[in-house]
Amino acid sequence: MLQNVCDYGRVVAVDAGPVQVIEAAKAALKEEGFGVLCEIDVAKTLKEKIGADVPPYVILGACNPQFANTSLQADPNLGLLLPCNLIVRQAEGATIVGAIDASKMLSVVGNPALDPIAREVNERLGRVLDKLDAMPS
């Protein structure tokens, strides 16, 4: 299975369709202590707002309440960088799933107290991607 690390996250190509992957992603996020605060259907929004026809593309805004609380205590303005985003999109016949690199995202803050949280978030999101990458088609 194709795997790729971009500069600000990790992406995997999954053999299942987007609807199935979105449901599996929500379940895997829940197992890792994340809830989905928002689900943005980018393709639908672009179609409605500007008439653009784009392949399926959904952003899942995931949040782990414990990590969010600890992070906001370390920096009350950190809400500008929350929640952690996971994307599910379709490209070239494959479903692509990506997760933000929390260490990269939080590095802009420059607060070392956030480093352990970012590492733990990355480990958990990594397990989510690993589960999705192993999905049967």
mmCIF file of all heavy atoms in Angstrom, residues 65-82 106 109-118:
data_model
loop_
_atom_site.group_PDB
_atom_site.id
_atom_site.type_symbol
_atom_site.label_atom_id
_atom_site.label_comp_id
_atom_site.label_asym_id
_atom_site.label_seq_id
_atom_site.Cartn_x
_atom_site.Cartn_y
_atom_site.Cartn_z
ATOM 1 N N PRO A 65 -10.271 15.306 24.302
ATOM 2 C CA PRO A 65 -10.531 16.314 25.335
ATOM 3 C C PRO A 65 -9.398 16.500 26.346
ATOM 4 O O PRO A 65 -9.119 17.626 26.754
ATOM 5 C CB PRO A 65 -11.795 15.821 26.022
ATOM 6 C CG PRO A 65 -12.407 14.850 25.096
ATOM 7 C CD PRO A 65 -11.304 14.281 24.262
ATOM 8 N N GLN A 66 -8.757 15.404 26.744
ATOM 9 C CA GLN A 66 -7.662 15.517 27.718
ATOM 10 C C GLN A 66 -6.504 16.323 27.140
ATOM 11 O O GLN A 66 -5.962 17.215 27.797
ATOM 12 C CB GLN A 66 -7.168 14.126 28.149
ATOM 13 C CG GLN A 66 -8.195 13.336 28.905
ATOM 14 C CD GLN A 66 -8.476 13.907 30.293
ATOM 15 O OE1 GLN A 66 -8.045 14.987 30.664
ATOM 16 N NE2 GLN A 66 -9.237 13.179 31.076
ATOM 17 N N PHE A 67 -6.117 15.996 25.900
ATOM 18 C CA PHE A 67 -5.007 16.712 25.272
ATOM 19 C C PHE A 67 -5.386 18.165 25.016
ATOM 20 O O PHE A 67 -4.568 19.071 25.194
ATOM 21 C CB PHE A 67 -4.601 16.048 23.958
ATOM 22 C CG PHE A 67 -4.032 14.663 24.123
ATOM 23 C CD1 PHE A 67 -4.230 13.715 23.145
ATOM 24 C CD2 PHE A 67 -3.311 14.307 25.244
ATOM 25 C CE1 PHE A 67 -3.704 12.432 23.273
ATOM 26 C CE2 PHE A 67 -2.786 13.032 25.384
ATOM 27 C CZ PHE A 67 -2.983 12.088 24.401
ATOM 28 N N ALA A 68 -6.615 18.401 24.590
ATOM 29 C CA ALA A 68 -7.058 19.775 24.334
ATOM 30 C C ALA A 68 -7.015 20.598 25.620
ATOM 31 O O ALA A 68 -6.513 21.726 25.621
ATOM 32 C CB ALA A 68 -8.468 19.769 23.743
ATOM 33 N N ASN A 69 -7.493 20.033 26.703
ATOM 34 C CA ASN A 69 -7.509 20.747 27.981
ATOM 35 C C ASN A 69 -6.091 21.081 28.441
ATOM 36 O O ASN A 69 -5.796 22.226 28.808
ATOM 37 C CB ASN A 69 -8.241 19.924 29.039
ATOM 38 C CG ASN A 69 -8.341 20.662 30.360
ATOM 39 O OD1 ASN A 69 -8.753 21.818 30.401
ATOM 40 N ND2 ASN A 69 -7.948 19.993 31.429
ATOM 41 N N THR A 70 -5.208 20.095 28.403
ATOM 42 C CA THR A 70 -3.824 20.322 28.828
ATOM 43 C C THR A 70 -3.141 21.353 27.931
ATOM 44 O O THR A 70 -2.418 22.234 28.412
ATOM 45 C CB THR A 70 -3.036 18.996 28.806
ATOM 46 O OG1 THR A 70 -3.701 18.056 29.655
ATOM 47 C CG2 THR A 70 -1.615 19.186 29.287
ATOM 48 N N SER A 71 -3.378 21.268 26.643
ATOM 49 C CA SER A 71 -2.770 22.197 25.692
ATOM 50 C C SER A 71 -3.271 23.617 25.899
ATOM 51 O O SER A 71 -2.493 24.579 25.867
ATOM 52 C CB SER A 71 -3.064 21.753 24.259
ATOM 53 O OG SER A 71 -2.505 20.486 24.007
ATOM 54 N N LEU A 72 -4.570 23.765 26.116
ATOM 55 C CA LEU A 72 -5.138 25.100 26.329
ATOM 56 C C LEU A 72 -4.668 25.709 27.647
ATOM 57 O O LEU A 72 -4.556 26.932 27.758
ATOM 58 C CB LEU A 72 -6.663 25.047 26.260
ATOM 59 C CG LEU A 72 -7.230 24.795 24.863
ATOM 60 C CD1 LEU A 72 -8.712 24.479 24.941
ATOM 61 C CD2 LEU A 72 -6.968 25.997 23.947
ATOM 62 N N GLN A 73 -4.387 24.863 28.634
ATOM 63 C CA GLN A 73 -3.823 25.380 29.880
ATOM 64 C C GLN A 73 -2.402 25.895 29.652
ATOM 65 O O GLN A 73 -1.995 26.892 30.250
ATOM 66 C CB GLN A 73 -3.841 24.303 30.959
ATOM 67 C CG GLN A 73 -5.233 24.011 31.476
ATOM 68 C CD GLN A 73 -5.252 22.902 32.511
ATOM 69 O OE1 GLN A 73 -4.214 22.456 32.999
ATOM 70 N NE2 GLN A 73 -6.446 22.443 32.855
ATOM 71 N N ALA A 74 -1.658 25.233 28.768
ATOM 72 C CA ALA A 74 -0.294 25.667 28.468
ATOM 73 C C ALA A 74 -0.277 26.926 27.613
ATOM 74 O O ALA A 74 0.648 27.737 27.719
ATOM 75 C CB ALA A 74 0.472 24.547 27.764
ATOM 76 N N ASP A 75 -1.306 27.077 26.767
ATOM 77 C CA ASP A 75 -1.394 28.262 25.897
ATOM 78 C C ASP A 75 -2.855 28.478 25.526
ATOM 79 O O ASP A 75 -3.394 27.785 24.673
ATOM 80 C CB ASP A 75 -0.554 28.071 24.642
ATOM 81 C CG ASP A 75 -0.517 29.297 23.757
ATOM 82 O OD1 ASP A 75 -1.435 30.154 23.841
ATOM 83 O OD2 ASP A 75 0.414 29.418 22.959
ATOM 84 N N PRO A 76 -3.523 29.446 26.167
ATOM 85 C CA PRO A 76 -4.948 29.670 25.924
ATOM 86 C C PRO A 76 -5.298 30.029 24.473
ATOM 87 O O PRO A 76 -6.430 29.844 24.058
ATOM 88 C CB PRO A 76 -5.304 30.826 26.864
ATOM 89 C CG PRO A 76 -4.252 30.817 27.906
ATOM 90 C CD PRO A 76 -3.013 30.304 27.241
ATOM 91 N N ASN A 77 -4.337 30.517 23.709
ATOM 92 C CA ASN A 77 -4.605 30.859 22.309
ATOM 93 C C ASN A 77 -4.473 29.663 21.368
ATOM 94 O O ASN A 77 -4.688 29.790 20.164
ATOM 95 C CB ASN A 77 -3.662 31.972 21.838
ATOM 96 C CG ASN A 77 -3.953 33.267 22.542
ATOM 97 O OD1 ASN A 77 -5.106 33.605 22.795
ATOM 98 N ND2 ASN A 77 -2.909 33.993 22.900
ATOM 99 N N LEU A 78 -4.136 28.510 21.922
ATOM 100 C CA LEU A 78 -3.889 27.329 21.102
ATOM 101 C C LEU A 78 -5.125 26.868 20.336
ATOM 102 O O LEU A 78 -5.009 26.147 19.348
ATOM 103 C CB LEU A 78 -3.347 26.187 21.963
ATOM 104 C CG LEU A 78 -2.692 25.078 21.161
ATOM 105 C CD1 LEU A 78 -1.391 25.569 20.554
ATOM 106 C CD2 LEU A 78 -2.437 23.891 22.047
ATOM 107 N N GLY A 79 -6.288 27.317 20.754
ATOM 108 C CA GLY A 79 -7.503 26.966 20.025
ATOM 109 C C GLY A 79 -7.438 27.357 18.558
ATOM 110 O O GLY A 79 -8.151 26.793 17.726
ATOM 111 N N LEU A 80 -6.558 28.280 18.225
ATOM 112 C CA LEU A 80 -6.366 28.655 16.823
ATOM 113 C C LEU A 80 -5.850 27.484 15.989
ATOM 114 O O LEU A 80 -6.040 27.453 14.775
ATOM 115 C CB LEU A 80 -5.387 29.833 16.712
ATOM 116 C CG LEU A 80 -5.872 31.161 17.278
ATOM 117 C CD1 LEU A 80 -4.719 32.154 17.385
ATOM 118 C CD2 LEU A 80 -6.981 31.718 16.402
ATOM 119 N N LEU A 81 -5.212 26.519 16.632
ATOM 120 C CA LEU A 81 -4.639 25.377 15.926
ATOM 121 C C LEU A 81 -5.436 24.085 16.128
ATOM 122 O O LEU A 81 -5.016 23.039 15.649
ATOM 123 C CB LEU A 81 -3.188 25.161 16.380
ATOM 124 C CG LEU A 81 -2.245 26.335 16.141
ATOM 125 C CD1 LEU A 81 -0.879 26.028 16.728
ATOM 126 C CD2 LEU A 81 -2.147 26.652 14.661
ATOM 127 N N LEU A 82 -6.527 24.159 16.845
ATOM 128 C CA LEU A 82 -7.327 22.962 17.112
ATOM 129 C C LEU A 82 -8.559 22.962 16.215
ATOM 130 O O LEU A 82 -8.998 24.027 15.789
ATOM 131 C CB LEU A 82 -7.758 22.928 18.585
ATOM 132 C CG LEU A 82 -6.636 22.879 19.612
ATOM 133 C CD1 LEU A 82 -7.219 22.922 21.020
ATOM 134 C CD2 LEU A 82 -5.759 21.672 19.435
ATOM 135 N N LEU A 106 2.251 22.275 16.133
ATOM 136 C CA LEU A 106 2.466 22.967 17.402
ATOM 137 C C LEU A 106 3.841 23.615 17.495
ATOM 138 O O LEU A 106 4.077 24.427 18.395
ATOM 139 C CB LEU A 106 2.238 22.015 18.566
ATOM 140 C CG LEU A 106 0.794 21.524 18.735
ATOM 141 C CD1 LEU A 106 0.689 20.573 19.917
ATOM 142 C CD2 LEU A 106 -0.170 22.687 18.880
ATOM 143 N N VAL A 109 4.110 27.375 17.884
ATOM 144 C CA VAL A 109 3.833 27.996 19.175
ATOM 145 C C VAL A 109 5.124 28.259 19.942
ATOM 146 O O VAL A 109 5.241 29.260 20.652
ATOM 147 C CB VAL A 109 2.868 27.113 20.002
ATOM 148 C CG1 VAL A 109 2.608 27.708 21.368
ATOM 149 C CG2 VAL A 109 1.570 26.896 19.246
ATOM 150 N N GLY A 110 6.101 27.365 19.808
ATOM 151 C CA GLY A 110 7.364 27.531 20.508
ATOM 152 C C GLY A 110 7.286 27.286 22.001
ATOM 153 O O GLY A 110 8.049 27.861 22.771
ATOM 154 N N ASN A 111 6.364 26.413 22.427
ATOM 155 C CA ASN A 111 6.203 26.105 23.846
ATOM 156 C C ASN A 111 6.584 24.644 24.074
ATOM 157 O O ASN A 111 5.839 23.737 23.713
ATOM 158 C CB ASN A 111 4.752 26.358 24.271
ATOM 159 C CG ASN A 111 4.520 26.132 25.747
ATOM 160 O OD1 ASN A 111 5.294 25.460 26.418
ATOM 161 N ND2 ASN A 111 3.430 26.691 26.259
ATOM 162 N N PRO A 112 7.742 24.370 24.681
ATOM 163 C CA PRO A 112 8.196 22.995 24.876
ATOM 164 C C PRO A 112 7.239 22.139 25.716
ATOM 165 O O PRO A 112 7.285 20.913 25.628
ATOM 166 C CB PRO A 112 9.545 23.129 25.584
ATOM 167 C CG PRO A 112 9.883 24.569 25.604
ATOM 168 C CD PRO A 112 8.689 25.353 25.181
ATOM 169 N N ALA A 113 6.377 22.767 26.510
ATOM 170 C CA ALA A 113 5.412 21.996 27.307
ATOM 171 C C ALA A 113 4.441 21.234 26.415
ATOM 172 O O ALA A 113 3.821 20.261 26.856
ATOM 173 C CB ALA A 113 4.648 22.926 28.250
ATOM 174 N N LEU A 114 4.303 21.660 25.163
ATOM 175 C CA LEU A 114 3.377 21.008 24.235
ATOM 176 C C LEU A 114 4.007 19.822 23.500
ATOM 177 O O LEU A 114 3.291 19.022 22.894
ATOM 178 C CB LEU A 114 2.845 22.025 23.224
ATOM 179 C CG LEU A 114 2.040 23.173 23.822
ATOM 180 C CD1 LEU A 114 1.756 24.230 22.769
ATOM 181 C CD2 LEU A 114 0.753 22.663 24.444
ATOM 182 N N ASP A 115 5.325 19.697 23.560
ATOM 183 C CA ASP A 115 6.009 18.637 22.808
ATOM 184 C C ASP A 115 5.534 17.232 23.160
ATOM 185 O O ASP A 115 5.257 16.431 22.261
ATOM 186 C CB ASP A 115 7.529 18.747 22.984
ATOM 187 C CG ASP A 115 8.097 19.998 22.342
ATOM 188 O OD1 ASP A 115 7.392 20.644 21.528
ATOM 189 O OD2 ASP A 115 9.260 20.340 22.655
ATOM 190 N N PRO A 116 5.403 16.875 24.460
ATOM 191 C CA PRO A 116 4.945 15.514 24.770
ATOM 192 C C PRO A 116 3.518 15.251 24.292
ATOM 193 O O PRO A 116 3.190 14.142 23.874
ATOM 194 C CB PRO A 116 5.034 15.419 26.294
ATOM 195 C CG PRO A 116 5.714 16.637 26.771
ATOM 196 C CD PRO A 116 5.760 17.625 25.658
ATOM 197 N N ILE A 117 2.680 16.262 24.343
ATOM 198 C CA ILE A 117 1.302 16.106 23.866
ATOM 199 C C ILE A 117 1.310 15.862 22.365
ATOM 200 O O ILE A 117 0.629 14.963 21.862
ATOM 201 C CB ILE A 117 0.456 17.348 24.223
ATOM 202 C CG1 ILE A 117 0.360 17.502 25.737
ATOM 203 C CG2 ILE A 117 -0.934 17.259 23.590
ATOM 204 C CD1 ILE A 117 -0.169 18.842 26.196
ATOM 205 N N ALA A 118 2.097 16.641 21.642
ATOM 206 C CA ALA A 118 2.181 16.487 20.191
ATOM 207 C C ALA A 118 2.678 15.092 19.818
ATOM 208 O O ALA A 118 2.146 14.459 18.897
ATOM 209 C CB ALA A 118 3.085 17.556 19.600
#
